[in-house]
Amino acid sequence: MITGRKIILVLITALVIVGCSSSSDDGPSSKTDDFNRGALLTNLVDNTIIPAFEDLQVKLLALKANKDVFIVAPNQINLEALRMSWIEAYKVWQSVEVFNIGKAEELQYSFQMNVYPTNVLDIENNISSGTYDLTNVNNNDAVGFPAVDYLLYGIGNDDMAILNKYLDIKYKNYLADVIDQMASLTQIVLDDWKTVYRTTFVNSIANTATSSLNKFVNDFIFYYEKGLRANKIGIPAGNFSTTPLPEKIEAFYNQDISKELALEALNAVQNLFNGKAYLSATIGESFKSYLNHLDRNDLVGLINTRFDDARQKIEALHDNFNIQINTDNTKMTQAFDALQLTVVSLKVDMLQAFNVSVDFVDADGD
């Protein structure tokens, strides 16, 4: 006997089946994902990662050579040459920091290269004592590019006072040790890419939590969201605090390059997304071509438009972010807002298209 209750259950079941079958027609394309991940990874390594690390190492060796000259003769001419080589290396670093994978992740390379603001008290204590372990995590904020920034621009009120500091052998030794460590660490990471890790990386083509593309796309988004959007713009502008924090800008002691570094970082991110090779016009398989393969040309266009919009906002800022924050911080927060729009496109829409899960904890509520 068919009761009224059974009839209702049958109707509900039928409605659920119809609803589920029709919903699949309304979302993004369900095209089979047969994209050649290996080609993307190969292009990434051979045309961007290794060339960028090679260029960074060339710049760091030039920095090291100029440091050696300066230590022998700490005069104004040699100080300027040393500063210029530091700037050139720091600009290249903006194309390398995103690659926190493989040996770089193992060594916590980025933490030993670019933790800012640098800790002046730790640096001065290290110099005073003359004994220190620069690889210790407690010294992460006393080494790398930010530490050299302080040592070249911040240890005196003017250049004469800075040069006088280097009459003390302890300051010479610390400057030398910090720069030598940067070059040494970079060589270790570069050698690993060129010998062992390249093969491991390009052959890991599965869609798993530990495969190369899944890990790197997460690193890419994490860097964009935290390393670029938050660290370079949002934190100094006060987006995560009750008041602006201009002392937290990158290159605090040579503030005139803060915008230049941010633009270098954004350009590097967009070139990675589009598959443009480092320092050449070569275009290869990329996140862009992967999305196009999945019929998500719309998302490609949106992401590039948002990158371009963010660049316009950053370009409108003062070269010196400290001045910008203290005179018209609204423009800084507008730049942050423009960068934030791309976070949604990358972290939600692109990852969904690739069927990749987020593997990092979001700490700032986005």
Side-chain angles (χ1 to χ4, degrees), residues 221-235 237 239-240 266 269 299 302-303 305-314 331-350 360 362-366:
I221 296 169
F222 181 82
Y223 171 73
Y224 178 82
E225 182 179 7
K226 309 297 182 183
L228 172 52
R229 180 208 61 144
N231 292 351
K232 297 182 192 298
I233 305 291
I235 291 174
N239 285 85
F240 307 102
L266 179 57
V269 165
L299 184 55
L302 178 62
I303 289 172
T305 295
R306 287 178 167 174
F307 279 145
D308 293 339
D309 290 345
R311 181 177 296 102
Q312 288 183 353
K313 294 294 186 183
I314 296 173
K331 289 183 178 179
M332 285 287 287
T333 60
Q334 289 172 345
F336 172 85
D337 291 341
L339 289 165
Q340 171 60 25
L341 287 176
T342 319
V343 171
V344 177
S345 299
L346 296 173
K347 194 173 182 179
V348 178
D349 300 329
M350 187 171 78
F360 58 90
D362 187 350
D364 60 27
D366 297 313

Side-chain angles (χ1 to χ4, degrees), residues 6-61:
K6 289 182 178 178
I7 292 173
I8 292 172
L9 288 172
V10 170
L11 289 173
I12 290 173
T13 301
L15 287 172
V16 169
I17 292 172
V18 171
C20 290
S21 62
S22 62
S23 65
S24 63
D25 297 329
D26 299 329
S29 170
S30 57
K31 181 177 179 177
T32 300
D33 185 356
D34 56 357
F35 182 75
N36 188 344
R37 285 178 161 221
L40 187 159
L41 297 171
T42 299
N43 178 57
L44 183 61
V45 173
D46 293 343
N47 292 321
T48 296
I49 297 177
I50 290 178
F53 271 103
E54 287 177 334
D55 192 27
L56 177 61
Q57 187 63 346
V58 168
K59 299 299 192 295
L60 288 173
L61 291 177

Side-chain angles (χ1 to χ4, degrees), residues 8-9 27 35 76 82 84 120 127 133 142 145 153 160 166 168 177 206 209 242 269 319 324 329 354 358:
I8 292 172
L9 288 172
F35 182 75
Q76 188 67 43
L82 183 56
M84 185 56 65
V120 170
I127 293 172
D133 176 7
F145 285 104
Y153 296 90
M160 183 60 68
Y166 287 101
D168 184 342
D177 289 343
T242 56
V269 165
D319 289 346
Q324 184 66 63
N329 192 47
F354 293 163
V358 176

Side-chain angles (χ1 to χ4, degrees), residues 3-306:
T3 65
R5 182 180 178 186
K6 289 182 178 178
I7 292 173
I8 292 172
L9 288 172
V10 170
L11 289 173
I12 290 173
T13 301
L15 287 172
V16 169
I17 292 172
V18 171
C20 290
S21 62
S22 62
S23 65
S24 63
D25 297 329
D26 299 329
S29 170
S30 57
K31 181 177 179 177
T32 300
D33 185 356
D34 56 357
F35 182 75
N36 188 344
R37 285 178 161 221
L40 187 159
L41 297 171
T42 299
N43 178 57
L44 183 61
V45 173
D46 293 343
N47 292 321
T48 296
I49 297 177
I50 290 178
F53 271 103
E54 287 177 334
D55 192 27
L56 177 61
Q57 187 63 346
V58 168
K59 299 299 192 295
L60 288 173
L61 291 177
L63 176 64
K64 186 176 177 180
N66 284 328
K67 173 264 297 178
D68 291 339
V69 172
F70 176 75
I71 285 176
V72 172
N75 57 46
Q76 188 67 43
I77 292 174
N78 291 338
L79 176 62
E80 291 302 327
L82 183 56
R83 285 171 168 173
M84 185 56 65
S85 58
W86 170 80
I87 292 171
E88 291 304 308
Y90 213 171
K91 288 162 60 177
V92 176
W93 168 256
Q94 308 303 320
S95 293
V96 166
E97 189 170 3
V98 63
F99 302 116
N100 185 37
I101 194 169
K103 185 63 72 173
E105 182 180 19
E106 177 187 327
L107 296 175
Q108 295 192 315
Y109 174 63
S110 64
F111 287 108
Q112 298 186 70
M113 294 290 284
N114 199 37
V115 170
Y116 60 92
T118 199
N119 190 315
V120 170
L121 181 60
D122 284 352
I123 291 174
E124 292 292 348
N125 285 341
N126 285 342
I127 293 172
S128 177
S129 72
T131 58
Y132 37 78
D133 176 7
L134 296 185
T135 64
N136 189 293
V137 294
N138 292 325
N139 275 321
N140 282 349
D141 58 359
V143 295
F145 285 104
V148 179
D149 180 29
Y150 170 70
L151 293 167
L152 297 185
Y153 296 90
I155 60 174
N157 292 328
D158 55 32
D159 285 356
M160 183 60 68
I162 291 171
L163 290 171
N164 285 337
K165 288 284 188 178
Y166 287 101
L167 298 176
D168 184 342
I169 188 64
K170 289 185 176 181
Y171 278 89
K172 290 182 178 180
N173 288 342
Y174 196 76
L175 176 67
D177 289 343
V178 169
I179 292 175
D180 289 351
Q181 176 183 263
M182 294 166 68
S184 176
L185 286 170
T186 301
Q187 191 64 58
I188 291 170
V189 175
L190 174 59
D191 287 345
D192 192 60
W193 273 110
K194 295 176 76 171
T195 56
V196 178
Y197 192 61
R198 181 197 177 280
T199 300
T200 301
F201 185 79
V202 300
N203 288 333
S204 177
I205 60 174
N207 187 344
T208 67
T210 58
S211 65
S212 293
L213 190 138
N214 294 47
K215 290 182 67 175
F216 177 68
V217 71
N218 270 282
D219 289 347
F220 173 81
I221 296 169
F222 181 82
Y223 171 73
Y224 178 82
E225 182 179 7
K226 309 297 182 183
L228 172 52
R229 180 208 61 144
N231 292 351
K232 297 182 192 298
I233 305 291
I235 291 174
N239 285 85
F240 307 102
S241 55
T242 56
T243 58
L245 303 169
E247 70 275 11
K248 293 186 180 294
I249 66 171
E250 193 170 24
F252 177 74
Y253 296 96
N254 183 23
Q255 299 169 359
D256 289 339
I257 68 168
S258 47
K259 182 174 84 170
E260 184 176 14
L261 296 180
L263 287 171
E264 289 282 348
L266 179 57
N267 291 339
V269 165
Q270 188 168 15
N271 287 340
L272 269 177
F273 174 79
N274 288 315
K276 183 181 180 300
Y278 182 77
L279 296 182
S280 85
T282 301
I283 302 292
E285 298 291 4
S286 61
F287 296 150
K288 173 185 175 179
S289 61
Y290 194 171
L291 288 169
N292 285 336
H293 180 81
L294 297 173
D295 295 331
R296 292 307 311 272
N297 312 61
D298 58 325
L299 184 55
V300 169
L302 178 62
I303 289 172
N304 273 313
T305 295
R306 287 178 167 174

